[in-house]
């Protein structure tokens, strides 16, 4: 290779890699700008979390005391005096009824999807399940109205009641529990299950003695996330339960309606009364407290189970 | 020995079959729930669908006394809110996803991710209250007078009534509700990029920005599309926050500051009055059928797109709120 050719090659390389300082500087500045924009996006996205908590606390704090939680609403307009006991009790009713439907159904289906079934059928069921997660809550509400609440035509004729609303919420909760239970069982190391099966255990024995124990944390997480999801639902309650300022006398028929925190906030914020707006914010603090408590409980459980797996 | 175990084996097999049978009853329950919701909506919307036909979609009038029903106003409102919300949410959540996956210091990553997941868990009624007491006064006091003074000639930005409520207020709040969905899927899609390709680019002297632009985004853009599609599905069905913020008037809004009505808000406000008249109720259920079909189609597409990228694993931000 002559020297001339060699020089030409170096020039070409110089064209491909223009190593000069201003170019590098410009690149670095662009990178900084991108960093700033990404961080700014995160700050804007995280802002509502803090501002929602802050604004709810700053308005609602003077109503937050034991009385607010332990008395029924009274006064005129109703709620101007008293607290939100009806809503807390009502939420308890709804969560228990919904869980009675969704927990066995969801856990059972999740176990089936990860243990049994042909690949093709399972993928169809999985598809239906994930589609149900995407269905808007108003549509669930209308379905709940026609199945449980309506007094005419087909259906169970429960009236606007805790049972109707609870079962509708159970329908919303089931696909979530199913999906997360399946994921929890799939996360168990295959060697555990295969080890049990290789020892001659049937699937029932393997489930009873290995899978349920190993996936316990994941299944708890699934149930808590389901409860977290239904505790904030308002739209289905508009069609199946509405609201009750007192205590329910039963779970069906007239007098079967219960109060609900989300409904209470929704109704109070509609009223043209400043004191009710403040009480709505105070009730939001209580609802947010429940939501965050469930959230933290869920994270603790999954964190602990991960730690236990690491130790094993 | 073998004989002795025969009885036990039979018993175990019997138990195992029973176990499988019970679980298949549960799985049948899942299928039943899905069929129930689709069947109920189709069955009760059938009178309206057969009477108005496909013209239901573009008839503007909604007049219960005359029994003329058309969904055009509500469809227009729904799509305006959804699209404006996505215009806000997409750049924001892309930024968040990129920040969390590429730029964020490692020790803060977990904490910052939790903040975005908490945003997904906040109930929609609380978002609505926050919108009424924070966003609406802000729009009324600061934003709308500013636009009235400077941009009143531009058709979509004209301020007709300076009240704060309207499409924009609803869109801003809905945007914050879909941000966690798109952001977390963007983050997962970016995390699925093989580390070795990123490290290769960095070793060649590329900046982080070059890596994102030329390696990560080309690799993960399908996942981001999937996230946007799922976010669209969530925004279309959003109810309670929209009811509180949109102004609830059955007119097709001419400006983003105008008031309007969405399908879900209409259902939440009027469905329980509608049941006295069969055709009125049926028209309302036909509105719900539109929502149901949109959500099913959008979720099938979004799921198929995501299946190829992150193995179809929905992250936990998909549920929550309501």
């Amino acid at each position: 290779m002559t020297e001339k050719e060699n020089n030409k090659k170096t020039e070409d390389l110089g064209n491909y890699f223009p190593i000069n300082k201003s170019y590098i500087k410009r690149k670095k500045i662009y990178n900084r700008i991108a960093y700033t924009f990404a961080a700014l996006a995160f700050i804007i996205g995280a802002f509502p979390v803090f501002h929602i908590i802050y604004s709810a606390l700053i308005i609602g704090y003077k109503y937050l005391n034991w009385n607010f939680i332990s008395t029924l609403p009274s006064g005129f307009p109703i709620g101007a005096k008293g607290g939100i006991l009806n809503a807390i009790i009502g939420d308890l009713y709804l969560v228990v009824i919904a869980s009675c439907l969704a927990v066995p159904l969801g856990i059972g289906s999740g176990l089936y999807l990860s243990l049994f079934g042909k690949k093709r059928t399972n993928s169809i069921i999985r598809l239906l399940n994930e589609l149900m997660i995407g269905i808007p809550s108003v549509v669930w509400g209308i379905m709940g109205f026609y199945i449980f609440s309506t007094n005419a035509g087909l259906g169970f004729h429960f009236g606007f009641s805790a049972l109707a609303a609870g079962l509708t919420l159970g329908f919303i909760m089931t696909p979530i529990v199913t999906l997360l239970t399946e994921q929890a069982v799939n996360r168990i190391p295959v060697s555990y299950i295969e080890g049990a099966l290789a020892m001659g255990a049937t699937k029932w024995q393997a489930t009873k003695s290995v899978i349920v124990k190993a996936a316990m944390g994941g299944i708890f997480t699934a149930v808590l996330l389901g409860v977290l999801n239904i505790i904030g639902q308002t739209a289905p309650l508009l069609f199946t339960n509405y609201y009750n300022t007192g205590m329910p006398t039963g779970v069906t028929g007239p007098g079967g309606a219960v109060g609900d925190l989300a409904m209470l906030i929704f109704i109070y914020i509609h009223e043209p009364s400043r004191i009710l707006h403040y009480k709505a914010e105070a009730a939001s603090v209580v609802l947010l407290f429940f939501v965050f408590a469930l959230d933290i409980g869920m994270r603790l459980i999954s964190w602990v189970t991960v730690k236990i797996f690491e130790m094993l | 020995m073998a004989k002795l175990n025969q009885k036990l084996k039979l018993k175990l097999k019997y138990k195992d079959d029973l176990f499988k049978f019970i679980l298949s009853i549960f799985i049948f329950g899942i299928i039943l729930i899905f069929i129930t919701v689709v069947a109920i909506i189709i069955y009760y919307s059938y009178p309206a669908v057969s009477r108005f036909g496909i013209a239901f979609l573009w008839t503007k009038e909604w007049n219960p006394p005359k029994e003329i029903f058309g969904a055009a106003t509500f469809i227009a409102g729904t799509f305006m809110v959804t699209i404006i919300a996505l215009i806000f949410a997409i750049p924001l959540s892309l930024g968040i996803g990129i920040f969390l996956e590429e730029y964020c210091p490692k020790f803060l990553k977990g904490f910052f991710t939790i903040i975005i997941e908490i945003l997904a868990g906040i109930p929609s009624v609380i978002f609505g209250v926050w919108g009424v007491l924070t966003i609406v006064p802000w729009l009324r006091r600061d934003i709308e007078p500013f636009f009235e003074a400077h941009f009143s000639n531009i058709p979509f930005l004209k301020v007709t009534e300076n009240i704060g409520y309207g499409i924009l207020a609803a869109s801003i709040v809905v945007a914050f509700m879909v941000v966690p969905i798109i952001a977390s899927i963007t983050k997962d899609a970016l995390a699925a990029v093989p580390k070795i390709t990123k490290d290769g680019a960095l070793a060649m002297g590329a900046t982080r920005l070059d890596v994102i632009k030329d390696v990560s985004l080309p690799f993960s853009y399908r996942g981001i599309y999937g996230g946007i599609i799922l976010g669209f599905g969530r925004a279309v069905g959003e109810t309670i926050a929209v009811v509180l913020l949109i102004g609830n008037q059955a007119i097709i809004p001419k400006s983003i500051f105008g008031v309007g009505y969405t399908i879900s808000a209409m259902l939440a406000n009027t469905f329980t009055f509608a049941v006295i008249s069969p055709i009125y109720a049926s028209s309302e259920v036909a509105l719900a059928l539109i929502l149901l079909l949109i959500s099913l189609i959008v979720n099938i597409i979004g799921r198929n797109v995501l299946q190829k990228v992150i193995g179809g694993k929905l992250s936990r931000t998909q549920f929550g709120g309501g």
Side-chain angles (χ1 to χ4, degrees), chain B residues 8-74:
Chain B
L8 182 71
K9 241 183 186 171
L10 265 176
K11 203 174 149 196
L12 282 177
K13 190 170 179 327
Y14 166 72
K15 263 192 181 170
D16 202 37
D17 285 347
L18 188 71
F19 175 59
K20 192 174 173 183
F21 177 69
I22 291 171
L23 287 192
S24 25
I25 290 177
F26 286 144
I27 215 76
F28 187 69
I30 293 274
I31 300 169
L32 196 68
I33 291 178
F34 184 80
I35 291 172
T36 313
V37 60
V38 175
I40 290 271
I41 298 294
I42 290 176
Y43 175 76
Y44 283 99
S45 65
Y46 180 71
V49 172
S50 64
R51 180 159 159 185
F52 303 115
I54 196 85
F56 184 73
L57 294 178
W58 53 79
T59 310
K60 277 187 202 161
E61 197 173 352
W62 182 273
N63 194 336
K66 284 191 189 160
E67 300 201 333
I68 302 170
F69 297 102
T73 324
F74 312 110

Side-chain angles (χ1 to χ4, degrees), chain B residues 135-149 157-169 245 249 255-259:
Chain B
I135 298 287
V136 167
W138 176 60
L139 286 178
R140 185 165 51 214
R141 207 177 46 236
D142 301 333
I143 302 299
E144 286 183 353
F146 176 74
F147 273 84
E148 204 164 10
L157 299 174
K158 202 163 180 255
V159 182
T160 43
E161 307 159 278
N162 183 2
I163 53 171
Y165 291 93
I167 301 281
L168 187 65
L245 294 168
Q249 283 183 33
S255 142
I256 61 169
F257 294 105
V259 291

Side-chain angles (χ1 to χ4, degrees), chain A residues 17 27-28 30-31 34-35 37-42 44-52 55 59 101 104-113 115-117 123 125-140 142-143 145-147 150 152-154 160 170-171 174-176 178-180 183 200 202-205 207-208 225 228-229 231-235 238-239 261-262 265-266 269-270 277 280-281 284-285 287-288 291-292 295 298-299, chain B residues 12-13 15-16 19-20 23-31 33-34 36-38 40-41 43-44 91-96 98-100 103-105 111-119 121-130 132-134 176 179 204 207-210 212-214 233 236-240 243-244 248 264-265 267-269 271-272 275 281-282 284-285 288-289 291-292 295-297 299-300 303 307 312-314 316 318-322:
Chain A
F17 300 106
K27 280 263 172 202
K28 276 187 173 167
Y30 284 156
N31 187 39
Y35 182 101
F37 270 105
L40 198 67
F42 175 76
I44 295 173
F47 165 74
V49 177
F50 297 107
H51 196 261
I52 284 173
S55 63
I59 297 175
L101 175 72
L105 204 56
I107 293 176
S109 311
L111 283 175
Y112 183 93
L113 282 178
L115 295 179
F116 299 108
S123 72
I125 294 164
R126 229 170 262 138
L127 172 68
L128 295 185
N129 195 49
E130 281 175 26
L131 288 182
M132 281 199 283
I133 291 174
I135 292 177
S137 52
V138 257
V139 177
W140 287 112
I142 287 173
M143 181 222 64
F145 176 83
Y146 278 120
I147 296 184
T150 179
L154 302 166
F160 273 53
F171 280 17
T174 305
I176 297 170
T178 304
L179 182 82
L180 290 171
Q183 285 183 1
T202 60
K203 280 197 172 157
W204 161 237
Q205 286 173 319
T207 309
K208 193 175 59 173
L225 194 53
L228 176 86
N229 188 53
I231 208 175
Q233 293 282 1
T234 325
L238 284 169
F239 306 112
L261 270 174
I265 296 167
F266 181 65
I269 204 72
H270 266 305
H277 286 192
E281 285 286 35
S284 318
V285 176
L287 182 54
L288 279 175
V291 167
F292 290 155
D295 201 270
M298 203 167 64
R299 279 174 207 288
Chain B
L12 282 177
K13 190 170 179 327
K15 263 192 181 170
D16 202 37
F19 175 59
K20 192 174 173 183
L23 287 192
S24 25
I25 290 177
F26 286 144
I27 215 76
F28 187 69
I30 293 274
I31 300 169
I33 291 178
F34 184 80
T36 313
V37 60
V38 175
I40 290 271
I41 298 294
Y43 175 76
Y44 283 99
L92 205 58
S93 33
L94 286 189
I96 294 172
I98 288 170
F99 178 75
L100 289 178
Y103 282 124
C104 180
F111 177 65
F112 282 179
T113 310
I114 288 176
I115 290 178
I116 295 299
E117 285 180 3
I118 282 177
L119 186 67
I122 293 176
S124 114
V125 67
I126 288 180
F127 267 111
V129 171
W130 180 67
V132 169
L133 297 179
T134 308
F176 281 124
V179 156
M204 293 298 287
T207 59
R208 273 278 166 197
L209 178 64
D210 295 330
I212 292 164
K213 199 166 55 141
D214 299 331
V236 163
E238 196 44 63
T239 314
I240 291 300
V243 170
L244 288 169
N248 299 334
S264 51
L267 289 171
N269 275 335
F271 179 74
T272 37
V275 290
S282 178
E284 297 255 348
V285 184
L289 181 68
L291 273 190
L292 180 67
S295 93
L296 292 184
I297 292 167
N299 278 292
I300 287 175
R303 189 178 177 277
Q307 195 94 54
K313 266 201 183 147
L314 294 170
R316 59 150 294 197
Q318 300 312 305
F319 352 99

Side-chain angles (χ1 to χ4, degrees), chain A residues 33-292:
Chain A
I33 292 171
Y35 182 101
T36 318
F37 270 105
L40 198 67
F42 175 76
I43 291 167
I44 295 173
F47 165 74
V49 177
F50 297 107
H51 196 261
I52 284 173
I53 298 169
Y54 166 78
S55 63
L57 271 176
I58 206 96
I59 297 175
Y61 81 96
K62 45 187 165 212
Y63 293 101
L64 284 173
N65 48 36
W66 181 244
N67 246 357
F68 185 69
I69 294 168
S70 64
T71 53
L72 288 171
S74 56
F76 182 83
I78 191 112
K81 287 181 188 143
I84 55 165
L85 181 66
N86 65 329
I88 292 171
I89 299 290
D91 262 335
L92 216 60
Y93 268 75
L94 293 177
V95 166
V96 168
I97 294 171
S99 303
C100 283
L101 175 72
V103 170
L105 204 56
I107 293 176
S109 311
L111 283 175
Y112 183 93
L113 282 178
S114 56
L115 295 179
F116 299 108
K118 292 182 187 112
K119 219 174 170 188
R120 211 182 159 78
T121 12
N122 274 5
S123 72
I124 291 170
I125 294 164
R126 229 170 262 138
L127 172 68
L128 295 185
N129 195 49
E130 281 175 26
L131 288 182
M132 281 199 283
I133 291 174
I135 292 177
S137 52
V138 257
V139 177
W140 287 112
I142 287 173
M143 181 222 64
F145 176 83
Y146 278 120
I147 296 184
F148 301 120
S149 287
T150 179
N151 287 321
L154 302 166
F156 289 102
H157 307 293
F158 291 149
F160 273 53
S161 62
L163 191 60
L167 291 177
T168 310
L169 293 178
F171 280 17
I172 298 175
M173 184 174 161
T174 305
I176 297 170
V177 180
T178 304
L179 182 82
L180 290 171
T181 304
E182 195 205 340
Q183 285 183 1
V185 175
N186 287 345
R187 263 204 309 275
I188 303 174
V190 187
S191 55
Y192 285 31
I193 302 171
E194 280 180 352
L197 293 178
M199 295 297 287
T202 60
K203 280 197 172 157
W204 161 237
Q205 286 173 319
T207 309
K208 193 175 59 173
S209 49
V210 178
I211 294 173
V212 169
K213 280 176 190 162
M216 190 61 98
I219 292 173
F220 261 117
T221 311
V223 173
L224 287 185
L225 194 53
V227 172
L228 176 86
N229 188 53
I230 63 164
I231 208 175
Q233 293 282 1
T234 325
L237 299 183
L238 284 169
F239 306 112
T240 51
N241 173 54
Y242 214 67
Y243 182 63
N244 185 355
T245 52
M247 287 295 185
T249 51
V251 286
T252 59
V258 291
D260 176 82
L261 270 174
M263 259 329 270
L264 177 139
I265 296 167
F266 181 65
I267 288 170
Y268 280 13
I269 204 72
H270 266 305
E271 298 280 344
S273 152
R274 194 153 289 251
I275 189 162
L276 286 189
H277 286 192
Y278 293 166
K279 289 216 164 170
E281 285 286 35
S284 318
V285 176
V286 178
L287 182 54
L288 279 175
F289 172 78
F290 284 137
V291 167
F292 290 155

